[in-house]
Amino acid sequence: MEVDESSPSSLLSSPSSLSSDSIDLNFLPFLRREPKSEPASPEHGPLPPPLPLPLPPQATAAIAVAFAAPTTPDLSSPEVLTPLQSLPPNPDEDALFAEYCRLASLYLLSAGAGAIVPAPTPEAAAPAAVQPGSGSAAKKRRPRSSELVRVSSLSVRDQIYFRDLVRRARITFESLRGLLLKDDERAEALGLAGVIGLGSVDRRRVRADLRAAALMADRDLWLNRDRRIVGPIPGIAVGDAFFFRMELCVLGLHGQVQAGIDYLSAGQSASGEPIATSIIVSGGYEDDDDRGDVLVYTGHGGRDPNLHKHCVDQKLEGGNLALERSMAYGIEIRVIRAVKSKRSPVGKVYFYDGLYKVVDYWLDRGKAGFGVYKYKMIRIEGQEPMGSVNYRAAEHLKVDALSMRPTGYLSFDISMGREIMPVALYNDVDDDRDPLLFEYLARPIFPSSAVQGKFAEGGGGCGCIENCSIGCYCAERNGGEFAYDKAGVLLRGKPLLYECGPYCQCPPSCPNRVSQKGLKNRLEVFRSRETGWGVRSLDLIKSGTFICEFSGIVLTHQQSEIVAASGDCLVHPNRFPSRWLDWGDISDVYPEYVAPNHPATTDLNFSIDVSRARNVACYFSHSCSPNVFIQFVLFDHYNVSYPHLMIFALENIPPLRELSIDYGMIDEWVGKLTM
């Protein structure tokens, strides 16, 4: 077996030099069952049967209408004229039914036979990292390559490039998934629960993450598919969190949809021997012994596919042999752990915990009485802390912080009860107590001249008696749609969002009231030797969710000029880059996608004085590759020149990871915030 060394420069290929051929998913429409498969998710149950039923006449007619109607985009065609976001906000039942039928038929038509295709020769392989394509639909999906490479080292510039590349793919995946779920909600509201072509199968079992991944594969947007990477994946950090297993496949972190061992088969390997590259530890196997840095992993095979119990002895073949061969060659294994979590839509979250080496293996008698192969794996030293360990540590900190950190806490709540969730202050580096010297403002204080007469401008709020729905006054303010899904996740960024406010008649439970409710995560201001003061969360934060508001004393343009002369610390909202454009952007799949330009804001000439009063957001560290972004929101007044600065997650943020934001123009005021 040969392991090639690829330099960073070879990976940083220009878009024109990258392959645009498609890839073979090898999983749609029905997953190919592999040994060592994880237990079926109780939320979804088994997958639909493989033989679709004939479409009823009304469905066939509806699909014909859908393909002919110019206002309904054809997801199966590269010449899409209108993205899904441009559908009418309140379509009639026939149009909605047609769209639903079209999506269902697309899912079936794009599935293919799911057969394993022989791997291409190394000469036909493309660079390791796949750049987002032009959006042209692929006619034939390429299988995973058999060429093994290792990324030896990356410069800081290369690390930022690949991190942004991975983030872009994750945003596309999550945006598509959210869009499909939104369409599902509309169909279910009309009582369309079954999937066309699959009889009475519940549409919730045809998961949105599978459909989103398929759409990305059609556009050649899966990363690291053209070469098998041994060791770390560029752009993926130890501790990163993933809510869907399909995301691991899209990024190339683990290429098997069900199998717990990802390996290159003997038939594909240049040496004629199988080689393992990654494993998933789900915690659902009785013979596994997981102690963190030391892991005893049970091999695959010998299990009843329905009962998930061993019934025969395992054999040293397939993934089992691949792990043994990886031990012989000294090849490191990527380890991903699945941890139960109430914050996950599927009840668990996947953490990338870094690289391990297989140091020993043996055949043992399992708890069920049958022979099982066991592999002792030891974590390589010098890596970042494991995400699964940080997750459990953060859970303990929320319950009994002093037992884990007897010293270092300066305050358990610097907000003094002004926030719904406490904001701790921790410093085990030096004697700096600077955050205690500021008054804590959970909400900004606007000048009366800026909001006077603006509370009921344009007719005030909506008159909804129950939760708002499409067609209400606040929906029209947002361009005919709501910004959030039913879980409060931002669907796509906009220049300005309108939430229901104090002048609306809808109840507090209205899904259009999100950022105004304040903190939902346990945040902690901490002292760092690298960034000065920083902020981290004790909770797992899902991408697209609200974190906190940027608060202080709001000054008009004239007031700002006077205060700036005295050297006070001012934050200028117009300097924050428009990173809201990234969230919800699906232009890689639909090139004709146009970023929303309504509602619009005027020139933001105001500033926020944080020299005397501030909140937790003022301690976010700066990064040109941040994990949060600013979204402008209005809810308590309607002066578009003075919106609230709401902060949302740009990616999944695991517990105890520092939150970073792009301040844009860097000058002295950023240093004053973080020092």
Side-chain angles (χ1 to χ4, degrees):
M1 196 248 350
E2 297 181 358
V3 179
D4 298 334
E5 298 287 338
S6 294
S7 63
S9 59
S10 66
L11 294 175
L12 290 169
S13 304
S14 63
S16 60
S17 65
L18 295 175
S19 173
S20 61
D21 294 339
S22 62
I23 54 182
D24 185 4
L25 289 179
N26 292 332
F27 76 94
L28 287 173
F30 313 105
L31 305 185
R32 179 177 180 271
R33 182 167 293 279
E34 296 278 356
K36 185 67 175 179
S37 60
E38 293 193 72
S41 174
E43 294 82 359
H44 306 295
L47 290 169
L51 296 177
L53 299 176
L55 292 175
Q58 63 271 26
T60 305
I63 293 175
V65 173
F67 278 91
T71 57
T72 304
D74 177 8
L75 293 180
S76 64
S77 172
E79 295 81 20
V80 184
L81 298 178
T82 308
L84 287 178
Q85 286 86 341
S86 297
L87 285 174
N90 191 20
D92 57 39
E93 184 173 342
D94 291 337
L96 184 57
F97 181 72
E99 174 62 10
Y100 170 56
C101 293
R102 187 188 55 74
L103 282 172
S105 65
L106 165 68
Y107 179 72
L108 296 174
L109 293 175
S110 65
I116 298 296
V117 181
T121 61
E123 291 76 14
V130 179
Q131 181 81 12
S134 62
S136 59
K139 296 182 179 179
K140 183 179 179 182
R141 293 169 179 165
R142 179 186 304 159
R144 297 178 70 193
S145 172
S146 61
E147 184 178 2
L148 291 175
V149 299
R150 176 185 283 109
V151 180
S152 57
S153 62
L154 291 175
S155 66
V156 174
R157 181 180 178 183
D158 292 341
Q159 292 175 21
I160 294 175
Y161 169 82
F162 282 112
R163 187 65 180 179
D164 290 342
L165 190 68
V166 168
R167 182 181 292 113
R168 177 67 197 150
R170 298 184 71 176
I171 289 176
T172 300
F173 173 83
E174 186 60 31
S175 300
L176 288 171
R177 193 188 70 86
L179 177 63
L180 292 170
L181 285 176
K182 195 69 174 179
D183 288 343
D184 290 348
E185 291 176 11
R186 291 179 178 178
E188 289 176 4
L190 296 175
L192 305 175
V195 178
I196 299 300
L198 294 178
S200 59
V201 175
D202 193 325
R203 65 182 296 111
R204 289 173 296 181
R205 294 186 181 180
V206 188
R207 299 179 335 214
D209 57 314
L210 295 179
R211 287 178 280 167
L215 288 172
M216 293 184 67
D218 284 336
R219 289 352 187 236
D220 203 13
L221 296 175
W222 282 33
L223 305 184
N224 307 310
R225 190 75 177 179
D226 296 317
R227 286 184 183 177
R228 301 282 187 101
I229 297 182
V230 173
I233 300 292
I236 299 180
V238 174
D240 279 354
F242 309 88
F243 287 97
F244 300 95
R245 183 157 176 169
M246 283 310 307
E247 207 175 357
L248 306 178
C249 298
V250 169
L251 301 179
L253 185 62
H254 186 83
Q256 296 291 338
V257 176
Q258 280 191 313
I261 305 175
D262 190 13
Y263 65 98
L264 186 69
S265 66
Q268 294 177 309
S269 174
S271 65
E273 299 175 301
I275 299 297
T277 56
S278 64
I279 64 171
I280 291 181
V281 183
S282 64
Y285 302 96
E286 57 184 3
D287 293 307
D288 286 349
D289 184 9
D290 188 0
R291 302 181 183 179
D293 289 337
V294 179
L295 168 66
V296 177
Y297 186 75
T298 307
H300 71 198
R303 293 169 60 89
D304 185 282
N306 297 318
L307 300 178
H308 298 288
K309 292 183 178 181
H310 285 99
C311 54
V312 296
D313 294 339
Q314 291 183 350
K315 298 179 180 180
L316 190 61
E317 60 185 15
N320 294 343
L321 181 59
L323 284 174
E324 186 274 333
R325 288 291 81 197
S326 292
M327 180 189 73
Y329 285 112
I331 292 178
E332 57 269 35
I333 306 295
R334 295 188 295 271
V335 172
I336 302 104
R337 283 184 172 87
V339 179
K340 293 182 179 179
S341 173
K342 295 180 180 179
R343 289 178 173 256
S344 171
V346 296
K348 59 184 176 182
V349 59
Y350 297 91
F351 289 102
Y352 171 49
D353 279 348
L355 303 176
Y356 285 65
K357 284 287 187 71
V358 182
V359 297
D360 194 11
Y361 86 102
W362 63 94
L363 181 64
D364 199 358
R365 185 65 58 188
K367 294 181 180 180
F370 298 96
V372 295
Y373 279 95
K374 294 186 177 181
Y375 301 85
K376 183 178 181 180
M377 308 176 70
I378 297 180
R379 192 170 190 259
I380 299 175
E381 296 182 353
Q383 302 181 80
E384 292 295 319
M386 290 182 281
S388 61
V389 171
N390 281 344
Y391 178 82
R392 295 185 179 94
E395 291 296 305
H396 193 180
L397 283 172
K398 290 188 290 186
V399 177
D400 188 6
L402 290 178
S403 65
M404 295 188 64
R405 298 175 179 170
T407 60
Y409 280 103
L410 303 181
S411 173
F412 287 105
D413 186 13
I414 60 175
S415 77
M416 302 295 289
R418 295 181 178 90
E419 297 279 15
I420 298 176
M421 305 293 290
V423 180
L425 179 63
Y426 183 78
N427 184 359
D428 62 347
V429 175
D430 52 33
D431 297 328
D432 196 327
R433 305 168 63 91
D434 189 65
L436 295 177
L437 304 179
F438 297 89
E439 179 183 355
Y440 194 95
L441 282 182
R443 294 292 187 194
I445 299 177
F446 289 93
S448 58
S449 60
V451 297
Q452 187 175 7
K454 298 292 183 179
F455 296 99
E457 185 180 90
C462 66
C464 301
I465 300 176
E466 298 180 351
N467 290 343
C468 293
S469 59
I470 295 298
C472 84
Y473 182 69
C474 290
E476 295 303 319
R477 280 186 176 274
N478 284 296
E481 61 183 4
F482 286 117
Y484 309 105
D485 65 12
K486 61 183 180 181
V489 177
L490 186 66
L491 293 174
R492 59 172 176 165
K494 290 189 174 184
L496 179 67
L497 296 181
Y498 283 92
E499 291 188 6
C500 296
Y503 297 92
C504 295
Q505 302 301 314
C506 59
S509 61
C510 178
N512 196 38
R513 299 177 184 266
V514 175
S515 64
Q516 61 188 267
K517 293 183 178 180
L519 296 183
K520 292 185 178 179
N521 302 293
R522 291 280 296 272
L523 301 182
E524 178 182 89
V525 180
F526 72 102
R527 189 68 172 165
S528 168
R529 288 185 173 89
E530 291 78 22
T531 60
W533 289 107
V535 179
R536 57 195 174 197
S537 173
L538 300 185
D539 293 310
L540 173 63
I541 302 176
K542 189 179 184 302
S543 59
T545 57
F546 170 72
I547 300 177
C548 66
E549 180 173 4
F550 209 109
S551 181
I553 301 176
V554 178
L555 304 178
T556 64
H557 179 65
Q558 293 76 13
Q559 293 171 333
S560 301
E561 293 180 339
I562 298 174
V563 174
S566 63
D568 287 344
C569 188
L570 300 181
V571 176
H572 303 278
N574 58 7
R575 296 186 181 181
F576 286 100
S578 300
R579 290 192 175 269
W580 58 265
L581 287 167
D582 296 333
W583 187 252
D585 182 4
I586 55 172
S587 59
D588 288 339
V589 176
Y590 303 110
E592 68 288 341
Y593 170 83
V594 177
N597 55 11
H598 179 82
T601 59
T602 59
D603 294 334
L604 304 179
N605 293 322
F606 70 96
S607 64
I608 302 177
D609 184 2
V610 295
S611 58
R612 289 171 291 276
R614 56 176 62 175
N615 74 334
V616 61
C618 296
Y619 298 101
F620 281 28
S621 61
H622 168 76
S623 174
C624 57
S625 182
N627 52 22
V628 305
F629 67 98
I630 292 289
Q631 171 65 66
F632 298 121
V633 177
L634 286 179
F635 66 91
D636 55 350
H637 68 83
Y638 298 118
N639 190 341
V640 296
S641 298
Y642 290 87
H644 291 263
L645 277 64
M646 301 301 189
I647 300 177
F648 287 79
L650 195 58
E651 61 184 43
N652 298 334
I653 304 176
L656 302 182
R657 175 169 292 179
E658 186 169 2
L659 306 180
S660 60
I661 193 169
D662 187 353
Y663 288 98
M665 298 176 61
I666 305 302
D667 54 19
E668 185 179 358
W669 68 272
V670 175
K672 291 180 180 179
L673 286 176
T674 58
M675 292 301 293

